[in-house]
Every structure is written in C-alpha cells, then in structure tokens.
Amino acid sequence: MTTTASISTLSLTINGEARVLAGPATVASLLDEMGLAGKRLAVERNGEIVPRGLHATTGLADGDRLEIVVAVGGG
Amino acid sequence: MDDLLTIAGKAYSSRLLVGTGKYKDFTETREAVVASGAQIVTVAIRRTNIGQDPNTPSLLDALPPSEFTYLPNTAGCYSADDAVRTLRLARELLDDHRLVKLEVLGDPHTLFPNMPETLKAAQVLVKEGFEVMVYCSDDPIQAKMLEDIGCVAVMPLASLIGSGMGVLNPWNVQLVRDAVKVPVLLDAGVGTASDAAIAMELGCDGVLMNTAIALAKDPVKMAGAMKKGVEAGREAFLAGRMPRKFYTASPSSPTTGMIGS
C-alpha cells in the first residue's frame, strides 16, 4: 500500500497561504507549532467555527482551509 | 434620574462609542479611550500574522474586555457571507459575546453601506442570537427594515467613513430617528466636537467615532472634547431648544424704560 505517504503530509491553506504540515495533526497541535497556543484567537475550518474546547480533538485533513483570527484595533 | 443609553437590555452612562483603529500605539489608544469616557469600544477581526512574534502586545491587553464592552465589527466586509463568518469568529474569540457591529460595505471608494447585503446578514445574525448594531444609510425605510428584522440599534452615517465632513443631512437623521424605536447612533463622518453635539441635538441616542479622535493632532485632548460635545448635545436635546424665528429678531433686553423716552 502506498497511501501512507500521502497521509503523512497535509497540504493546508492557512489564512490564505499554502502550508504543508506533517500529519497527523489537530487544530491544537497546529496552533502549538505556530506559537499561538494559549493566545486569544478563533479558528474557522472549511467555513465552520472550531470551538476552543474542540481544538485538541479536531483532526486536520489534507486540503483543509483554515482561518485563524484575533481582535485588532478598528473603527 | 440618570440618563442612560440602553442597548439590548444593558444600560450605559456614556453615549460616546469609540473605535480603536489608527492610533500610534496601544498606549495612545488606551489614553484616548479613557479620556473619551466610552464604555463600548469597537474592534476589528483580522487574520493572525503568520510569522509574527506571538508575544507582541495585543489590543486585549491595552483594553481588557473586563473593563470595556467590546463591539467586534465587520469592517472591510463586502458581502453578507463574509460579515456573518467574521462575527461568528468574533463570538468564538470573545467567549460567546453577542453584541456586534454589522457593516457590509458597497465599495472601497465611498465605504457606503451595501444595504441589500446588510439586510441579508442582519437576518442571519439575529436568527443566530447576535445583538446586532448596524451601520446603515441615512434612510428611514431601510432603518425600519433593520429594526423589524430585530437589530438592537441602527447607525446611519453622518458622512463618509473617515471623512470628518460632519452631519451632512440632518433632516434624514431626524427621519431615521422618528422611524424607529431602537437607539439611533450616528456612525461615521464626525470631524470635531460640534459635529458630535449636533448629532445629539438632533435626538440621536449616541455617536460612534474613530478617526476624528485618532487623527486629531492631540487624540487624547480630542477624546475629551468629544465626550463634552456628546454630553452638551444630549443636554441641549433634553432641554429642548427654543423655536427658530425666521427673519424676525426678538430683543433680549426690556423694550421699555429707555432713557430719553
């Protein structure tokens, strides 16, 4: 079987930018890798909110589109 | 008795709402917000900067949500869908926070609201339990539609966002004021303290501004001036101005007892 090779890397789009990640990964492990663990932020995966309580159990799949946002100054 | 502004069942003593954009740094942001006396502050929702040092200070440190009521906005959104997604993210970000400012823009040149998209987004958001304050055109018909949908406040523009042109159509603002029962907050276009006073004298329940304070030469001083402008305008509205007498003067001093009479 050769499918394991394709499962071991994940091609994601994070905040509009392409990014390849070693799999398996969860939302929590991704945030950790990005140095964002524990920060006040919100995550959307393929158009759906991933609640903070589910970051650790939400696995990422190849092709996922993620938005990671914070509050900034604005009028 | 206290004269309070009630939005979505919560009472506020300040009728001035301020934005938090365009300041030099978070220190200036905080000083200006404090000087304005505002209790509600708008914030924008944006992507994290990938690669940015995660330990750079954040707006939430300068203006803790425990001290201020956050009003996440949808600035920069040009479709109902983007606006709804942005506010769902805001709700998650701010721990099930419901009070939001909806704005769906029509084009980047005027930043005028796209009202069909705004109405569409408002319908979805109200259904999902958001308390929607909404940036809108100074049009009493659309304002009433937004109220009927269930928006908790309507916020017509005084003039273009960031223009500082002041209240360009006071008649329309009053028509909006008369068309709805929910609070009317004048949003966008205020340039200086007298503009804020005019908005309040027209019977608006509050004023929302950002650029007029942030881009003043001395933002903190201007924030204080805006606070006074809003308060003075509100008091004048409550006092009830004298009727205008066109083409006829009326002396303030007695007309009898003049020497030599």
Side-chain angles (χ1 to χ4, degrees), chain A residues 14-17 19 34-36 39-44 49-52 55 67-75, chain B residues 19-21 42-48 50 54-55 59-60 65 73 85 88-89 92-95 101 103 210:
Chain A
I14 303 171
N15 289 351
E17 290 179 22
R19 188 166 167 145
M34 294 174 74
L36 296 172
K39 297 283 162 196
R40 172 86 78 142
L41 47 76
V43 179
E44 184 197 70
I49 300 294
V50 183
R52 210 164 301 155
H55 284 185
E67 295 286 348
I68 305 170
V69 302
V70 293
V72 302
Chain B
T20 55
T42 65
V43 298
I45 304 298
R46 289 291 180 271
R47 288 169 162 173
T48 52
I50 297 171
N55 295 316
L59 179 70
L60 284 91
N73 69 24
R85 279 174 67 196
R88 285 178 184 150
L89 279 162
E92 161 67 13
L93 180 71
L94 299 170
D95 305 321
K101 173 182 166 180
E103 59 180 290
N210 189 155

Side-chain angles (χ1 to χ4, degrees), chain B residues 110 112 135 156-169 186-191:
Chain B
T110 64
F112 228 74
Y135 169 64
L157 71 168
S159 51
L160 301 186
I161 292 176
S163 73
M165 296 275 287
V167 185
L168 293 187
N169 198 335
L186 209 70
D187 184 3
V190 166

Side-chain angles (χ1 to χ4, degrees), chain B residues 139-141 143-145 147-148 173-182 184:
Chain B
D139 171 341
I141 310 302
K144 183 73 174 66
M145 288 175 181
E147 179 180 58
D148 289 345
V173 172
Q174 285 179 93
L175 287 172
V176 170
R177 171 62 285 169
D178 294 343
V180 298
K181 291 184 190 72
V182 293
V184 174

Side-chain angles (χ1 to χ4, degrees), chain B residues 9-192:
Chain B
K10 196 174 165 198
Y12 303 89
S13 54
S14 170
R15 291 175 179 272
L16 175 57
L17 288 69
V18 297
T20 55
K22 296 183 180 172
Y23 287 98
K24 180 174 86 197
D25 51 38
F26 287 142
T27 304
E28 188 183 73
T29 311
R30 180 174 174 86
E31 282 175 8
V33 170
V34 169
S36 77
Q39 294 164 298
I40 301 178
V41 297
T42 65
V43 298
I45 304 298
R46 289 291 180 271
R47 288 169 162 173
T48 52
N49 289 328
I50 297 171
Q52 188 195 29
D53 176 9
N55 295 316
T56 46
S58 95
L59 179 70
L60 284 91
D61 300 327
L63 300 170
S66 54
E67 247 178 278
F68 300 93
T69 296
Y70 269 36
L71 188 64
N73 69 24
T74 61
C77 289
Y78 287 87
S79 70
D81 190 46
D82 281 351
V84 168
R85 279 174 67 196
T86 298
L87 292 178
R88 285 178 184 150
L89 279 162
R91 184 166 168 171
E92 161 67 13
L93 180 71
L94 299 170
D95 305 321
D96 201 31
H97 179 86
R98 304 290 173 107
L99 189 71
V100 296
K101 173 182 166 180
L102 169 66
E103 59 180 290
V104 185
L105 304 174
D107 75 46
H109 175 59
T110 64
L111 302 179
F112 228 74
N114 177 330
M115 290 309 296
E117 288 292 303
T118 301
L119 289 158
K120 214 157 79 181
Q123 261 157 351
V124 175
L125 292 166
V126 168
K127 233 175 253 167
E128 292 186 9
F130 286 93
E131 293 161 349
V132 183
M133 300 174 69
V134 52
Y135 169 64
C136 56
S137 52
D138 59 349
D139 171 341
I141 310 302
Q142 312 248 23
K144 183 73 174 66
M145 288 175 181
L146 289 165
E147 179 180 58
D148 289 345
I149 286 170
C151 293
V152 299
V154 295
M155 306 200 287
L157 71 168
S159 51
L160 301 186
I161 292 176
S163 73
M165 296 275 287
V167 185
L168 293 187
N169 198 335
W171 308 103
N172 276 28
V173 172
Q174 285 179 93
L175 287 172
V176 170
R177 171 62 285 169
D178 294 343
V180 298
K181 291 184 190 72
V182 293
V184 174
L185 290 89
L186 209 70
D187 184 3
V190 166
T192 187

